[in-house]
Amino acid sequence: MDAVRRAGNNVILSIEQWFNKGFPDRLNPFYHLGSLTFFFFWIVLVSGIYVFIFFETNVAGAYKSVEYMTHDQWWMAGVMRSLHRYASDAAVISIFIHMFREFFRDRYRGVRWFSWFTGVPTLWLVVILGITGYWLVWDQLAQYVALATGELIDWIPGIPSAMVFNFLDNQITDRFFTLMAFLHLLGFPVALVFLLWTHVSRISKVDFNPPLPLAVGAFLTLLAVSLVKPAVSHAPVQAGHSPVVLNLDWFYLNIYPLVDIMGPGWAWSLSTGVTIVLMLLPWLPSKKELPAAEVNLEHCSGCGQCALDCPYGSVTMRKRTDGKKAEFEPTVDPGLCTACGICSGSCVSSSPSRMPNTTLKTGIEMPWFTVDALRQEVRSKLGALSGTGKIILFGCEHGVDVTTMSTPQTAVVNLPCSGMLPPSMLDYVLKNGADGVVVTGCREGDCYHRCGNTWTEQRLSGEREPKLLKRVDRQRVVEFRISNSKSERAALNQRIDAFRRSLQPSA
Amino acid sequence: MPKSFAQFGIQLVAYAMFFVVIFYLSSAPAYHYLKPGEAEVKLAFKHTSQREQECHTRTQEELQKLPPNMRKAQDCPRKRALIYIELLLDDQYLATRTFTPPGLSQDMATHVYAKFRLPAGRHKLTVRMRDRLRADGFDYVEETVRDWIPGQGILIGFDESRERFEIN
Ligand code: HEM
């Protein structure tokens, strides 16, 4: 499984690398797949409401009303119909890449199992929504879909009546048709909203909206498809006719040819089999997270920054329990903690200048990598540096791999996330012999721990607490947010050398 | 907004790929449900097959042995026979199918549903069904010679009141 993930990750990283050249400044669509999907759903919703105004929810009127929209009011209802279809298709694309990406990046196990586990049923719901949508047109494709769905449902043991009989020539009733319309227009969408709310309920600061330029680009593309290839219906249902050629929407209707080829039993086995494997994936094998963050109340001022910065909502504030003056104290839910260490980087008490001669304790930190341990590692690596242009390189386990980059002039300190780095540590290393500091982290907009690189950037630029002190010479600090793709890894050495040359040797 | 020509080019290619994937897969490749020159036959009807064993009238002696609340004169084993159907085209076998009556005791009405393909053109289509416990012979037979057109959907039903097949 590890090998599959790594191979997939390499492929997706190199594709993303290519996209990064064209979509700079956090605009890479691969970093916004979840929010792009939400955006597609908005298009589906708005266009769906418009199309519904003209849609007749009965067997006799449905086809005619859709034809009216497509041909008579093509300039508005027709475009809306096309947008409705193509935005739904786009959602399938973004959902699938989103899913594969989370898998390849190993963001689906351990504490994250919940998002993965609740993501899988959304696949079903989205596909069912699409299928019921095609059904409403009541053309030959719709009848084909209805009959094959009937075969699928009738295959399930224990269902006494034959659903398929409802869709034979002249058999469909307005009542059944209204039921389908209700499910497509209200029932399934409400269920999807509920499921998606659950899907993101365990993470905080969820990005529901993609960046504006991306949204505009995606919308214009969908509009272009709608204008170049307006969505049309198949021929109307005609008694005594079977469909010959069907122009299937493969994003949604791919199961039906399988039903024809393999029969409903195998089609069920395949789809439920894949679903079960997907749902069990977080435990095949499972991942044990490192121990969760721990709070040291005697060093905590109760400022709440850790709770504000935690990307997984694992740290929350509650009424103080130790009688100190501060009103609140943080508490950690280990079941939600991905052990990123961002809270430790966000704590003002994580300053390495505190308690210089004893074990440094901070308000909140990782028991397996305390700020004291970080200070010790920095101290010893600083001591071992020689020559001019001495640099401390803080790496992030999920960004570019820096573990092999240490040289006599460059010391490497690897962190679980760049967000774990307290800004005061930069001041500390520069005061204690380093000529420069390099901080690397995941690509902009693409932190493995969701927010770490953003928080680091904001802390260093003075937009977020704890801020990098004003007295620190900014010329001597540089941040590279790059992914672990081969080409970016190769370029890093050159960028570090250039930075070294730019440094004035410290007096 | 793209900042350079190269960025603009890459974005254009990316959006073009997005365009092409949606443009194409939203309706292509076409799916040929029926091959050219084929028609489809659907067998679709509900039918209650005969009981496997005839009902038998209980003798006085048999009735006495039963608890008073269960003394029904007729003893009817519930299980019904399998439904066996053959479809022939110009007297050649096109397909055979067996359907098991649903229900725990296999005593309910069976929904017969099956699809077959046949070549268009003038052909004799025969459908025959056995619905009682016996090894050969048929209880219902219907045949018709017609010009079947490509893409035709032929529906074979069973009229319970007239006890005969209907080929539409
Ligand atoms: C309708 C479909 C879906 C939508 C709209 C959606 C949306 C989202 C969003 C907005 C996030 C938060 C991203 C962030 O801010 O970091 C997220 C996270 C996640 N999604 Fe989805 N998702 C969908 C389907 C799926 C599916 C099908 C899977 C996999 C089976 C999946 C797996 C995940 C995982 C594992 C995370 C958590 C990442 C983490 O913990 O850092 N999602 N999703």
Side-chain angles (χ1 to χ4, degrees), chain A residues 22 25 229 240 242 244 246 260, chain B residues 3 11 23 27 31 33 40 153:
Chain A
D25 309 329
K229 185 191 171 190
S242 279
V244 179
L246 291 166
D260 291 337
Chain B
K3 287 180 190 146
Q11 290 201 8
F23 182 96
S27 65
Y31 172 56
Y33 178 70
E40 185 183 37

Side-chain angles (χ1 to χ4, degrees), chain A residues 53-182:
Chain A
I53 297 173
F54 301 95
F55 182 70
E56 282 192 41
T57 340
N58 56 64
V59 182
Y63 186 82
K64 264 188 273 165
S65 66
V66 178
E67 284 298 279
Y68 162 79
M69 288 187 255
T70 308
H71 300 292
D72 297 310
Q73 215 208 95
W74 61 268
W75 42 271
M76 189 64 187
V79 171
M80 286 294 192
R81 179 189 183 195
S82 306
L83 278 175
H84 194 67
R85 178 182 292 187
Y86 298 135
S88 312
D89 292 340
V92 173
I93 301 178
S94 53
I95 292 169
F96 269 83
I97 308 180
H98 170 59
M99 178 175 87
F100 277 106
R101 194 169 183 277
E102 298 299 335
F103 171 70
F104 291 147
R105 298 207 69 203
D106 199 0
R107 284 168 32 125
Y108 66 99
R109 302 187 290 164
V111 162
R112 291 174 169 93
W113 72 269
F114 185 82
S115 301
W116 179 270
F117 194 76
T118 52
V120 180
T122 64
L123 292 174
W124 278 78
L125 210 48
V126 168
V127 168
I128 291 172
L129 251 171
I131 290 171
T132 50
Y134 275 102
W135 200 308
L136 290 183
V137 182
W138 205 243
D139 56 359
Q140 288 193 1
L141 175 65
Q143 190 186 25
Y144 163 73
V145 164
L147 284 168
T149 308
E151 286 176 38
L152 277 170
I153 304 277
D154 292 340
W155 181 86
I156 303 172
I159 293 192
S161 69
M163 185 165 158
V164 73
F165 283 41
N166 290 304
F167 313 122
L168 294 168
D169 292 343
N170 305 321
Q171 292 302 312
I172 188 154
T173 60
D174 278 341
R175 216 184 107 57
F176 196 91
F177 202 73
T178 315
L179 172 69
M180 288 317 291
F182 169 78

Side-chain angles (χ1 to χ4, degrees), chain A residues 33-35 37-38 41 95 98-99 102 107-108 112 115-117 119-120 122-123 126 192 196 199-200 203-208 278 312 448-450:
Chain A
L33 292 162
S35 57
T37 310
F38 276 111
F41 286 158
I95 292 169
H98 170 59
M99 178 175 87
E102 298 299 335
R107 284 168 32 125
Y108 66 99
R112 291 174 169 93
S115 301
W116 179 270
F117 194 76
V120 180
T122 64
L123 292 174
V126 168
L192 184 63
L196 286 176
H199 179 59
V200 295
I203 48 188
S204 51
K205 299 165 201 71
V206 179
D207 244 347
F208 287 111
L278 278 179
Y312 288 92
Y448 181 82
H449 293 293
R450 304 189 53 246

